[in-house]
Amino acid sequence: MTYLILGLIIFFGAHLYTAFRPRTPEKDLKVKLGYGAFMGLYSLVSLVGLVLIVWGFGAARPAPILYQPPVWMMHINLLLMLPAMILLVSAYLPAGMIRKAAKHPMLVAIKIWAFGHLLANGELNSVLLFGSFLAFAVIDRIALKKRGDNGLPADAKVSAVGDLAAIVVGGVVYGAILVWLHPVLFGVRVLPG
């Protein structure tokens, strides 16, 4: 559990720094180091944190059970993952109405993903992992709002192609994770088999 907690601290420490870092040039580490050096350092620290999270999460199995979710909560989680994948994909495609309406679709996707997994998993390591991601997404959205970053401008041009691509690609990713990738990547079968 120690590696999981350490990984969460390192990973979210780096992410929270970027969310709340001073934006004045004389205090901003991004300006002082230069964009490339800052992003390299940020990426390295985040990667170390992520590796510790993955390793620590696996090492913490089996973990103490804090609550036993009923089966219907697991089904709700499965339903929530489809819009989460569509929103996640929409953050990286040409802007459509999905991206414009969500404002920060990646953060919305993380919130849905984390909340859904909290519904379906009551082990201590799962609660720490998904609870941390949910808390971070909420905190980061508040930070963005305080900075006046409300996503795409009201007059931004959007395309139905972006929405269609997000739905198709998000659906394919969802299906791949559901049927094949979840057991391969995370060691947990989603569907009975």
Side-chain angles (χ1 to χ4, degrees):
M1 200 68 69
T2 304
Y3 292 113
L4 173 60
I5 293 169
L6 183 61
L8 291 168
I9 291 168
I10 292 170
F11 183 81
F12 288 116
H15 283 73
L16 288 170
Y17 173 77
T18 62
F20 292 103
R21 75 179 200 279
R23 297 298 199 261
T24 56
E26 63 275 357
K27 292 183 180 178
D28 190 349
L29 194 57
K30 193 173 188 178
V31 173
K32 286 181 178 181
L33 292 176
Y35 180 80
F38 176 82
M39 290 308 292
L41 179 62
Y42 170 75
S43 299
L44 179 63
V45 171
S46 295
L47 182 62
V48 167
L50 187 60
V51 167
L52 286 170
I53 288 169
V54 171
W55 185 26
F57 186 83
R61 288 181 179 155
I65 296 174
L66 301 178
Y67 57 91
Q68 186 65 47
V71 174
W72 61 269
M73 284 182 148
M74 295 174 197
H75 294 289
I76 289 174
N77 181 41
L78 289 176
L79 291 173
L80 289 174
M81 291 311 101
L82 179 57
M85 288 302 112
I86 291 169
L87 283 160
L88 181 64
V89 168
S90 76
Y92 298 99
L93 293 176
M97 286 305 297
I98 294 170
R99 184 169 165 188
K100 190 171 185 177
K103 296 183 181 176
H104 296 282
M106 184 175 178
L107 288 177
V108 177
I110 290 170
K111 289 177 199 174
I112 294 169
W113 170 80
F115 176 72
H117 281 74
L118 283 170
L119 290 178
N121 299 282
E123 309 86 17
L124 178 59
N125 60 340
S126 295
V127 172
L128 284 172
L129 176 70
F130 301 119
S132 296
F133 271 92
L134 181 57
F136 167 75
V138 169
I139 291 167
D140 195 35
R141 180 62 182 105
I142 291 167
L144 287 166
K145 200 170 190 175
K146 282 190 173 229
R147 286 200 312 265
D149 184 346
N150 289 311
L152 295 172
D155 61 348
K157 297 204 189 276
V158 295
S159 165
V161 172
D163 288 333
L164 182 61
I167 291 166
V168 169
V169 173
V172 168
V173 169
Y174 171 76
I177 290 171
L178 190 68
V179 173
W180 178 63
L181 287 174
H182 206 277
V184 171
L185 296 174
F186 310 112
V188 177
R189 291 189 59 81
V190 177
L191 298 175

